[in-house]
């Protein structure tokens, strides 16, 4: 009996296809219109968010690794300006006020 093959057949040397690259974080991507701009929004599943933690611009709190969240960036700016949001913060982005919500003694990241 031969071992189980984990890679799809004919996917090239890396074993990844174009479909895998788009959905490799276990979520889905869409486009939304907000504040006069088109935004690319990628929903990241918890399994695809391992390792790093990010700071949410909506609530200024950390998003720990392994937590489902949303990655959003303006389409004209590109992926270098992408931001990681809690899903609830992204959905409430119009109700949030701008500005820093840290206390005076909180560390700046």
């Amino acid at each position: 009996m031969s071992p189980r093959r984990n890679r799809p057949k004919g996917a090239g040397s890396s074993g990844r296809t174009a479909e895998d690259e788009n959905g490799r974080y276990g979520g889905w991507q869409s486009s939304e219109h907000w504040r006069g701009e088109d935004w690319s929004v990628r929903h990241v599943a918890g399994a695809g968010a391992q390792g790093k933690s990010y700071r949410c611009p909506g609530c200024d709190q950390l998003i720990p690794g392994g937590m489902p969240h949303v990655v959003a960036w303006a389409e004209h700016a590109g992926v270098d300006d992408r931001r990681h949001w809690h899903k609830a913060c992204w959905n409430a982005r119009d109700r949030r006020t701008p500005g820093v919500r840290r206390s005076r003694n909180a560390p700046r990241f």
Side-chain angles (χ1 to χ4, degrees):
M1 176 182 256
S2 63
R4 188 175 128 211
R5 178 184 293 245
N6 289 328
R7 285 186 234 141
K9 292 180 181 178
S13 61
S14 69
R16 291 190 177 257
T17 62
E19 292 173 331
D20 290 337
E21 291 297 318
N22 291 335
R24 70 178 176 208
Y25 298 112
W28 50 276
Q29 186 168 337
S30 64
S31 183
E32 295 185 21
H33 192 75
W34 180 49
R35 290 190 181 173
E37 293 182 286
D38 289 326
W39 288 73
S40 293
V41 180
R42 180 176 292 154
H43 297 263
V44 179
Q50 298 297 326
K52 291 180 75 174
S53 60
Y54 302 96
R55 185 162 297 275
C56 175
C59 65
D60 203 34
Q61 300 295 315
L62 283 179
I63 303 171
M67 182 177 200
H69 62 279
V70 173
V71 181
W73 65 93
E75 289 185 359
H76 70 84
V79 295
D80 291 337
D81 292 328
R82 60 188 167 197
R83 298 292 174 255
H84 297 254
W85 295 69
H86 292 105
K87 287 185 179 185
C89 295
W90 176 254
N91 292 335
R93 64 192 180 273
D94 290 328
R95 296 187 300 268
R96 301 219 178 248
T97 58
V100 176
R101 292 185 179 83
R102 289 189 216 82
S103 68
R104 249 186 254 195
N105 298 328
R108 296 188 180 259
F109 293 97

